[in-house]
Amino acid sequence: MASLSRTLRMAATCPQGISVRNLGLQPLARDARPTAKKNVPYQRTLKEEAQGSSVVPQGPSQPLPSTADVVVIGGGSLGCQTLYHLAKLGVGRAVLLERERLTSGTTWHTAGLLWQLRPSDVEVELLAHTRQVVSHDLEEETGMHTGWIQNGGLFIASNRQRLDEYKRLMSLGKAYGVESHVLSPAETKDLYPLMNVDDLYGTLYVPKDGTMDPAGTCTTLTRAAVARGAQVIENCPVTGIRVRVDDFGVRRVAAVETEHGSIQTSCVVNCAGVWASTVGQMAGVKVPLVAMHHAYVVTERIEGIQNMPNVRDHDASVYLRLQGDALSVGGYEANPIFWEEVSDKFAFGLFDLDWDVFTQHIEGAINRVPVLEKTGIKSTVCGPESFTPDHKPLMGEAPELRGFFLGCGFNSAGMMLGGGCGHELANWIVHGRPEKDMYSYDIRQVRFHHSLTDHSRWIRERSHESYAKNYSVVFPHDEPLAGRNMRKDPLHEELLGQGCVFQERHGWERPGWFNAQETAPIREECLACRRAAAVFNMSYFGKFYLLGVDARKAADWLFSADVNRPPGPEEEQALMELTPRSLLPGSTVYTCMLNHRGGTESDLTVSRLAPGTQASPLAPAFEGDGYYLAVGGAVAQQNWSHITTVLQDQKFRCQLLDSSDDLGLLSIQGPASRAVLQDVLDADLSNEAFPFSTHQLVRAAGHLVGSHGHQPLGCGRQQLLAKVGWIWESGI
């Protein structure tokens, strides 16, 4: 078999697209043809069991139940983990449907690495739970070994910035009880004698990292789940999701349809991996992920490699996984291959490896472990993996369909995040929320606005970037480069001309800072805000109207403060001096929005509106009670989903309107803010005429705007809400 160095030389000298059959390897392939047969680096796999059977299964592995409390679709890592944790929570009638055999999709060919440290504290906790389940809980419950091997992990720093990042990771690990050590190049050489350390600044060593066997882990998970009453049904493809519409017009899951019958259920969990988009289409749910080829090669035997830790060389974008007395070598390239047409017949399959794409990983591997230059390649593994636009998994209930949950899009980390995410997803289903509310903001699917999930090019470009930057240094305030300028307000070009550097949230381009002279005048801007006034463009904020006969009941349920203060008809202005401050007409209340567990969904401002039959550019016509909500842009979609869920669950007779793309708001802050606005507005902005925490409809340059006084004159904050075409701004 060809050595890595020979492969590298041949790939570099062969013309583009010319096959290298004389290497003794698979020919180059640029299409998505599955290879008929591949050698994979596990001594025992479910694939071998499936191929070893002389009888091709023609039906489900067991009869389908007529009803179920939860139906999990997909028998990979996430499906098995979710089923296991549902069973542990007492869901006895949980069913897992797998279209072929367990792990037949993407799980069976995964490298099975588990690194305990990632830049997100949320993910550190999720990883810790996976490790606990795989290394301890499952074996204790079932007596079966999951294939867990604790050989440690090494992160390689070949520059100062990377070493600083590892030191931050070590500090994060200490907070969560993860043992880690920063090693010098000499200490690294002592630990890993075969490693080249000449170009290193140091390494981060995590002694309790390790690897899992996908087949062993999933088999043990399902064994434990079945012992608690769950069912696992293989060879049973899902063909549809039946939906019903209740008396309030809410779409809800009714049943799962298969080639062999249907199961009535009110809860479905989409754990179908790269096929999750197809399952979502059955239910009318957008699932923003794409499928890409991800590859690694398995070397022949390497003397002295036994018991060495797994290695991640982030700057070379390569990982080295210990495989007994050999190594698996893989990584994340800048030019990945998309799986353009995801086949529903693909099971236990692999693609031919494209050496033009994979060559860069060989270079990095040989540089880090020079003995690889003369080591042969035993097998190649190239399979599909799903990636999301922001490199975070898709989890939680879909806003389009009640009872339809997502557990997919794990960016080649499904095995390592599966235990923690399966645990949180099961809690979400049973208790209505993840065990810790903070998880919802990092991993909940509703973080994407519908204008983005409907845009296939945006999903593709952003997911491509998330794949290519998988090993990039995580800098504070890093912003994506792909898929920009999706949602811009009318002030965008004006601000751009003034040197504005934009940030992106939910597709909105929002001002980050100004850099007109190549140095951001942050100090001058801050001083101007403290001494005079500053104007903030906040169009990316969510602007919602809560309207209807039960809007007051909904507001009482949603918000922690009393927001039911009288609206501001002009005839009540004369009573203002005699009215307690808490009952001032036209009040705007700053409050928190809570969930049923008492957790905080967000902070926001709520302005009570007067009912009317004539719609204005700033307020729709409505009967009953009405409120204008200004919510933070980064959680706007999350808040929309939460409020919608509350209205549906509590059966409140009211509606939620989203005017985020139609309205704008300028925030003018500083001690001179009222003086600045007094020259613009036709209203009296004195404390007596326009008290703190009230709002009015006024005119600016002849245009109707809504003005909110959110702080006393000494603090000086005013806001203008306007129709698109004059100014476009948002929120507080």
Side-chain angles (χ1 to χ4, degrees):
M1 192 63 70
S3 67
L4 284 177
S5 60
R6 187 181 177 203
T7 301
L8 181 59
R9 290 194 302 271
M10 291 299 295
T13 57
C14 285
Q16 183 80 8
I18 301 299
S19 65
V20 286
R21 298 179 187 275
N22 57 334
L23 291 177
L25 302 169
Q26 293 291 333
L28 295 176
R30 292 195 171 278
D31 59 9
R33 294 180 293 107
T35 300
K37 188 175 182 180
K38 282 283 189 180
N39 178 28
V40 292
Y42 300 109
Q43 294 181 356
R44 174 183 172 276
T45 68
L46 291 178
K47 179 188 179 185
E48 292 172 353
E49 294 179 3
Q51 292 182 340
S53 175
S54 59
V55 179
V56 178
Q58 297 297 322
S61 58
Q62 59 179 286
L64 273 67
S66 59
T67 62
D69 293 331
V70 182
V71 174
V72 179
I73 301 175
S77 171
L78 259 296
C80 294
Q81 289 278 10
T82 303
L83 185 75
Y84 166 74
H85 284 95
L86 284 169
K88 288 195 72 172
L89 289 176
V91 181
R93 297 198 310 147
V95 178
L96 185 150
L97 298 179
E98 165 55 44
R99 64 183 177 86
E100 223 269 2
R101 300 290 298 276
L102 292 180
T103 77
S104 64
T106 62
T107 297
W108 75 280
H109 59 72
T110 182
L113 290 158
L114 193 150
W115 315 92
Q116 294 180 90
L117 293 180
R118 288 166 77 99
S120 164
D121 56 347
V122 171
E123 292 186 353
V124 169
E125 291 197 61
L126 297 174
L127 291 166
H129 186 79
T130 300
R131 188 185 181 284
Q132 174 68 22
V133 169
V134 174
S135 67
H136 179 266
D137 294 354
L138 284 174
E139 187 168 357
E140 186 176 81
E141 291 179 34
T142 66
M144 297 174 60
H145 185 47
T146 62
W148 168 255
I149 299 174
Q150 181 180 300
N151 60 315
L154 265 177
F155 287 179
I156 306 300
S158 54
N159 58 66
R160 181 68 64 184
Q161 289 176 327
R162 186 69 74 175
L163 187 60
D164 289 342
E165 181 184 42
Y166 292 163
K167 290 177 180 178
R168 291 193 295 270
L169 282 179
M170 183 176 68
S171 298
L172 179 62
K174 287 181 178 179
Y176 288 95
V178 179
E179 180 186 357
S180 62
H181 310 274
V182 172
L183 306 182
S184 67
E187 291 171 324
T188 303
K189 186 71 173 181
D190 291 339
L191 177 65
Y192 202 121
L194 296 180
M195 182 175 292
N196 168 33
V197 300
D198 293 343
D199 58 345
L200 297 189
Y201 277 72
T203 58
L204 179 65
Y205 175 50
V206 186
K208 294 183 181 180
D209 283 353
T211 59
M212 300 168 281
D213 170 44
T217 299
C218 290
T219 299
T220 311
L221 285 166
T222 53
R223 180 75 61 87
V226 169
R228 288 183 167 89
Q231 283 184 271
V232 176
I233 304 177
E234 297 176 292
N235 307 315
C236 189
V238 172
T239 58
I241 307 294
R242 196 184 308 159
V243 176
R244 67 178 179 88
V245 179
D246 67 17
D247 294 339
F248 289 82
V250 180
R251 299 177 71 245
R252 298 182 183 275
V253 168
V256 175
E257 298 174 340
T258 78
E259 295 178 353
H260 309 285
S262 62
I263 303 175
Q264 293 184 8
T265 184
S266 60
C267 183
V268 169
V269 191
N270 182 357
C271 297
V274 298
W275 294 269
S277 294
T278 301
V279 174
Q281 290 172 7
M282 297 177 185
V285 173
K286 301 289 185 180
V287 182
L289 57 77
V290 296
M292 299 184 192
H293 293 202
H294 181 61
Y296 61 88
V297 300
V298 184
T299 72
E300 293 181 334
R301 186 178 188 277
I302 303 172
E303 186 62 40
I305 204 69
Q306 296 81 2
N307 301 318
M308 290 297 100
N310 304 309
V311 174
R312 256 187 173 180
D313 191 337
H314 289 95
D315 294 311
S317 194
V318 67
Y319 63 81
L320 308 172
R321 177 205 193 272
L322 184 68
Q323 194 69 53
D325 58 2
L327 287 178
S328 297
V329 179
Y332 297 87
E333 55 279 347
N335 56 334
I337 300 174
F338 288 80
W339 193 13
E340 302 291 358
E341 297 182 9
V342 178
S343 170
D344 60 359
K345 304 300 183 183
F346 191 98
F348 291 116
L350 294 171
F351 308 119
D352 292 331
L353 183 64
D354 191 323
W355 289 99
D356 289 345
V357 174
F358 193 79
T359 295
Q360 59 184 281
H361 306 315
I362 298 177
E363 294 176 315
I366 291 175
N367 175 66
R368 190 54 53 218
V369 181
V371 70
L372 291 175
E373 185 174 10
K374 298 180 180 180
T375 302
I377 299 174
K378 182 167 60 178
S379 63
T380 65
V381 178
C382 182
E385 292 282 2
S386 58
F387 285 79
T388 63
D390 61 357
H391 206 264
K392 294 178 181 178
L394 305 175
M395 290 183 61
E397 191 174 23
E400 304 100 314
L401 180 61
R402 299 302 306 276
F404 190 87
F405 287 79
L406 299 182
C408 51
F410 279 83
N411 306 281
S412 195
M415 281 299 296
M416 69 176 79
L417 289 173
C421 288
H423 175 254
E424 296 306 321
L425 189 53
N427 274 278
W428 214 321
I429 293 167
V430 174
H431 300 303
R433 293 289 295 182
E435 191 169 80
K436 296 189 177 180
D437 289 335
M438 66 176 180
Y439 290 151
S440 63
Y441 293 104
D442 257 6
I443 60 181
R444 194 171 185 187
Q445 187 261 353
V446 294
R447 62 185 181 270
F448 299 112
H449 189 261
H450 63 81
S451 65
L452 305 178
T453 58
D454 288 336
H455 202 292
S456 59
R457 181 177 176 182
W458 179 85
I459 296 171
R460 181 185 178 94
E461 291 183 0
R462 285 290 286 270
S463 299
H464 182 175
E465 182 177 10
S466 77
Y467 180 100
K469 294 173 65 176
N470 191 44
Y471 279 0
S472 297
V473 174
V474 180
F475 290 104
H477 312 299
D478 184 37
E479 291 291 320
L481 300 176
R484 297 299 295 264
N485 296 322
M486 292 292 294
R487 304 170 78 188
K488 298 187 295 185
D489 64 70
L491 289 178
H492 182 85
E493 297 301 324
E494 175 69 22
L495 295 174
L496 190 64
Q498 297 295 321
C500 181
V501 178
F502 288 91
Q503 301 171 331
E504 187 267 354
R505 297 295 183 274
H506 285 286
W508 279 111
E509 296 294 323
R510 72 177 189 180
W513 64 89
F514 288 84
N515 196 23
Q517 292 81 34
E518 297 185 357
T519 56
I522 300 298
R523 176 176 174 80
E524 289 77 3
E525 291 174 0
C526 294
L527 290 176
C529 187
R530 290 178 59 187
R531 297 171 180 171
V535 181
F536 294 84
N537 180 4
M538 302 165 72
S539 296
Y540 59 94
F541 269 50
K543 287 144 283 186
F544 307 148
Y545 289 100
L546 180 62
L547 311 168
V549 295
D550 284 345
R552 178 167 183 164
K553 293 180 181 178
D556 286 340
W557 201 102
L558 286 163
F559 309 122
S560 59
D562 179 12
V563 299
N564 293 302
R565 304 175 185 180
E570 293 182 0
E571 58 268 21
E572 291 187 10
Q573 296 297 319
L575 301 176
M576 187 173 295
E577 293 183 0
L578 302 177
T579 306
R581 178 58 59 95
S582 62
L583 296 178
L584 284 174
S587 292
T588 294
V589 180
Y590 174 63
T591 182
C592 287
M593 182 161 59
L594 307 180
N595 54 48
H596 74 279
R597 295 178 57 177
T600 301
E601 290 290 321
S602 70
D603 59 336
L604 71 162
T605 57
V606 181
S607 301
R608 192 175 183 198
L609 306 175
T613 58
Q614 298 295 322
S616 75
L618 294 177
F622 66 93
E623 295 181 359
D625 290 290
Y627 305 88
Y628 163 73
L629 317 179
V631 303
V635 295
Q637 195 66 20
Q638 163 83 10
N639 284 193
W640 171 269
S641 177
H642 173 69
I643 297 172
T644 300
T645 299
V646 168
L647 300 184
Q648 294 173 355
D649 289 347
Q650 302 300 318
K651 297 180 172 56
F652 291 131
R653 294 170 297 168
C654 52
Q655 59 180 326
L656 185 66
L657 303 180
D658 187 354
S659 296
S660 302
D661 289 348
D662 300 323
L663 296 175
L665 188 151
L666 288 173
S667 180
I668 302 159
Q669 302 183 26
S673 59
R674 292 202 185 196
V676 171
L677 278 176
Q678 191 64 78
D679 292 338
V680 178
L681 304 181
D682 62 0
D684 182 357
L685 300 183
S686 65
N687 277 335
E688 293 74 22
F690 202 155
F692 163 64
S693 196
T694 64
H695 66 269
Q696 297 181 26
L697 289 179
V698 297
R699 291 191 176 275
H703 296 270
L704 188 67
V705 299
S707 183
H708 302 254
H710 288 303
Q711 295 183 7
L713 184 60
C715 299
R717 171 186 275 185
Q718 295 283 322
Q719 291 188 335
L720 296 180
L721 179 70
K723 189 72 175 175
V724 170
W726 181 61
I727 53 176
W728 193 357
E729 286 296 283
S730 162
I732 178 171

